[in-house]
Amino acid sequence: MRKVYFDNVATTQPDERVLTAMNPYFREHFGNPSSLHSFGEAPKKAVDEARTKVAELIGAGPEEIIFTASGTEANNFALKGISHANREKGKHIVISEIEHFSVFHSARTLEKWGFEVTHLSVDQYGLVDPHDVEEAIRPETILVSVMHANNEIGTIQPIEEISKITKEKGVLLHTDAVATVGNIPVDVGKLGVDSLSLAGNQFYGPKGAGALYVRKGVRISPLIDGGIQEGGKRAGTEEVPAIVGLGKAAEIAGEELSSRGRHLEELRDYFIDRLLQEIEHIKLTGHPQKRLPGHVSIVIRFIEGESMLMFLNIKGIAASSGSACTSRALKASHVLTSIGLPHEIAHGSLVFSMGAKDTKEDVDYVLEELPPIVKRLRDMSPLY
Amino acid sequence: MAMYSEKVMEHFQNPHNVGVIEDADGVGEVGNPICGDLMTFYIKVNGDVISELKFQTFGCGAAIAVSSIVSEMAIGKTLDEALKISKEVVAEELGGLPAQKMHCSNLGTDALHEAINDYLKKQSKKK
């Protein structure tokens, strides 16, 4: 049976070249980069090289890159660390309504710590209006955080326009670019951000390595205290193999970004066209053009997401959903409700995120298997 | 799906008694598409035994499996016996359900009981 992995926003398959680069750092070069003896040399060099490669990918300086264990940690670090370090200036933070939980819940924790948080609403496509950012900023605002692209609906935000406003107002801007770095061109200078999160497992690197970009001069308090790794900003023995993998993935992304993007955009648009043609009562969520290259998110009426995922899984197809039943909390995705979808429609959500190696044959296979699944569930549904 | 038992997967893939009964003796509808679950049970009653049962469900894998197994458990039972079918028994019959899916087994038994109560109400109106 054909196996199709269309859940790349969950995690991507590490590139073979990444695995090859990582291996020696599990075996011969197992030392601690901070060790003064010879066993620390190669690991230290490797971490420095990885840092340079990641910096290059996003147009930053190596000293502006702090390695973390994940995109989630990078987001926690950005929100809590920047807020804490700048608390004398003010205690108001602005985030969008559709941020990833690692930003959302970090902000909630900040509220418990005495900060005030404003949530910006989004339009039907999930877009933040830069004008709303302007309205939300007050004299005591110290940080704005808007994700570069949303993993559930694929929409890419106007970060550049938003940065013009934050610069004018003297407020720091952070962006969760976990879904974009390595998948579309990301340049911190061009975007105008003061801080940015990224994660290796989103662009064919390993799990266990992410990074936070912090522009030189921006104050940030460490989240994790201890030794003096990462310039004293993030303690803990470095996960050398994962960091090396992240660096290699960054290097490869730098070379292959445009071809990846073109290939995935073509597949995506073909997939969307066919879906909208072949299945009735279906709607694309997120912006039709300003969206991640391999991302197809839809809502299918009268049936529920988890049951669709189960049938797809039986056919070897991996996808995701924002329905309540697929969440531990039994709540429909906050992203889908924020873009104005009624709950009963949000429950029919299906998210396909394709990867660089996926082909038209993979898409055609899904197009073959999905309509009968939809029909089967609709025949069973009291709503149809 | 790793969290579901074999029995649940069986009932999910091959649910028994899916459909509608046009001239049903009792209809029970519970749940709410807003929460993500809706079950409608149709029964035909012969004497005091459930002779036929059909259902329609909008919901997750557990919801579909529960509807199927409740329908199996109820057909051929007397109304009293059917009213006693509890969510714990249903979950047991299915080989267990993940904690966050237990509410689905609740819904299944509620839909059955609603259908029976609907029938009883209609009967008392006739008298």
Side-chain angles (χ1 to χ4, degrees):
Chain A
M1 182 181 61
R2 189 176 204 107
K3 284 233 160 202
V4 173
Y5 181 75
F6 277 7
D7 194 14
N8 285 275
V9 287
T11 203
T12 57
Q13 182 177 26
D15 190 295
E16 268 310 310
R17 295 166 282 180
V18 164
L19 298 176
T20 305
M22 286 171 70
N23 241 311
Y25 298 91
F26 285 115
R27 296 205 146 88
E28 317 89 272
H29 305 310
F30 63 85
N32 186 320
S34 303
S35 292
L36 294 177
H37 48 65
S38 64
F39 290 83
E41 260 175 60
K44 179 171 188 318
K45 192 157 169 272
V47 170
D48 289 341
E49 270 171 21
R51 195 184 308 279
T52 302
K53 289 175 186 169
V54 171
E56 244 167 63
L57 180 63
I58 62 172
E63 69 286 4
E64 296 175 312
I65 302 294
I66 304 169
F67 288 124
T68 61
S70 60
T72 287
E73 187 195 322
N75 283 337
N76 269 262
F77 187 16
L79 276 267
K80 294 168 183 166
I82 292 175
S83 300
H84 182 263
N86 291 279
R87 68 197 183 287
E88 303 297 324
K89 287 197 203 151
K91 292 188 121 184
H92 178 237
I93 294 157
V94 178
I95 68 172
S96 88
E97 238 181 3
I98 62 169
E99 295 300 308
H100 184 262
F101 276 163
S102 54
V103 168
F104 212 73
H105 292 159
S106 291
R108 193 176 293 165
T109 296
L110 285 168
E111 278 176 319
K112 294 194 189 135
W113 293 349
F115 288 81
E116 215 194 305
V117 179
T118 295
H119 294 89
L120 296 171
S121 59
V122 295
D123 71 9
Q124 54 173 314
Y125 298 119
L127 285 168
V128 169
D129 186 344
H131 190 65
D132 291 345
V133 179
E134 195 168 19
E135 300 267 296
I137 291 176
R138 312 183 210 149
E140 59 278 19
T141 308
I142 51 173
L143 179 65
V144 172
S145 179
V146 175
M147 67 197 317
H148 193 187
N150 183 280
N151 49 303
E152 276 195 61
I153 55 176
T155 303
I156 299 173
Q157 300 293 350
I159 302 296
E160 226 177 291
E161 281 98 274
I162 292 173
S163 78
K164 294 196 178 100
I165 291 165
T166 52
K167 280 200 176 87
E168 208 187 286
K169 302 265 183 172
V171 174
L172 294 169
L173 177 62
H174 164 260
T175 187
D176 168 2
V178 166
T180 52
V181 170
N183 293 305
I184 66 172
V186 175
D187 183 293
V188 292
K190 198 156 173 283
L191 287 177
V193 296
D194 300 294
S195 182
L196 175 148
S197 308
L198 63 98
N201 74 327
Q202 290 286 302
F203 57 102
Y204 318 99
K207 300 180 197 67
L212 184 68
Y213 157 76
V214 182
R215 188 173 57 76
K216 206 147 94 179
V218 171
R219 302 183 66 200
I220 184 167
S221 305
L223 202 60
I224 300 176
D225 293 318
I228 44 79
Q229 292 88 352
E230 298 305 296
K233 295 288 182 197
R234 197 273 189 185
T237 303
E238 298 90 333
E239 220 305 62
V240 182
I243 289 170
V244 167
L246 171 60
K248 189 66 182 169
E251 188 188 299
I252 296 170
E255 292 158 10
E256 300 182 3
L257 209 52
S258 10
S259 57
R260 259 183 214 170
R262 269 195 311 269
H263 169 69
L264 286 173
E265 270 169 17
E266 217 182 284
L267 274 188
R268 174 198 72 195
D269 294 341
Y270 166 68
F271 197 2
I272 293 173
D273 280 341
R274 289 280 308 269
L275 281 170
L276 298 182
Q277 260 173 53
E278 280 161 45
I279 300 178
E280 280 186 312
H281 307 290
I282 187 178
K283 193 170 122 102
L284 181 74
T285 56
H287 198 277
Q289 286 91 40
K290 300 178 188 155
R291 68 184 300 127
L292 293 167
H295 197 283
V296 176
S297 54
I298 50 186
V299 282
I300 298 182
R301 287 198 74 176
F302 313 121
I303 58 179
E304 187 277 333
E306 192 204 83
S307 46
M308 281 193 275
L309 292 183
M310 283 171 72
F311 276 125
L312 286 169
N313 187 43
I314 288 164
K315 292 291 179 176
I317 299 166
S320 177
S321 168
S323 83
C325 295
T326 55
S327 88
R328 283 279 157 89
L330 297 181
K331 274 159 83 176
S333 144
H334 69 296
V335 175
L336 296 177
T337 49
S338 294
I339 61 173
L341 287 183
H343 280 88
E344 58 268 31
I345 303 213
H347 292 313
S349 121
L350 213 47
V351 182
F352 296 103
S353 45
M354 298 179 285
K357 293 203 298 203
D358 292 325
T359 62
K360 185 169 174 292
E361 284 72 38
D362 294 319
V363 175
D364 285 335
Y365 178 62
V366 177
L367 286 167
E368 216 182 280
E369 297 298 338
L370 183 59
I373 289 171
V374 171
K375 178 173 189 319
R376 197 169 165 167
L377 289 167
R378 278 183 174 161
D379 284 344
M380 227 191 278
S381 168
L383 297 172
Y384 186 55
Chain B
M1 241 63 173
M3 62 168 165
Y4 286 136
S5 71
E6 237 181 83
K7 201 100 195 273
V8 170
M9 289 309 292
E10 238 176 73
H11 277 272
F12 170 71
Q13 290 183 248
N14 295 300
H16 307 241
N17 307 304
V18 175
V20 171
I21 301 176
E22 299 290 338
D23 58 342
D25 294 325
V27 180
E29 190 185 281
V30 299
N32 196 322
I34 295 179
C35 314
D37 282 308
L38 188 64
M39 292 176 190
T40 309
F41 273 49
Y42 304 87
I43 56 172
K44 278 209 89 63
V45 181
N46 203 343
D48 76 332
V49 167
I50 295 178
S51 55
E52 212 187 317
L53 191 160
K54 290 239 185 281
F55 74 87
Q56 289 207 305
T57 293
F58 162 87
C60 62
I64 292 168
V66 161
S67 305
S68 171
I69 208 164
V70 168
S71 75
E72 242 184 29
M73 289 168 79
I75 293 176
K77 297 270 191 328
T78 65
L79 298 179
D80 276 336
E81 287 169 335
L83 281 171
K84 292 208 181 79
I85 297 173
S86 72
K87 70 173 197 273
E88 288 83 8
V89 174
V90 170
E92 223 184 281
E93 278 291 313
L94 282 173
L97 281 173
Q100 76 267 29
K101 298 290 184 182
M102 280 302 286
H103 78 282
C104 297
S105 60
N106 224 350
L107 230 47
T109 49
D110 285 349
L112 172 64
H113 299 169
E114 275 283 307
I116 294 171
N117 289 332
D118 183 53
Y119 164 75
L120 292 172
K121 234 190 339 205
K122 288 189 172 120
Q123 290 305 101
S124 66
K125 280 207 184 109
K126 283 186 191 160
K127 290 184 180 131

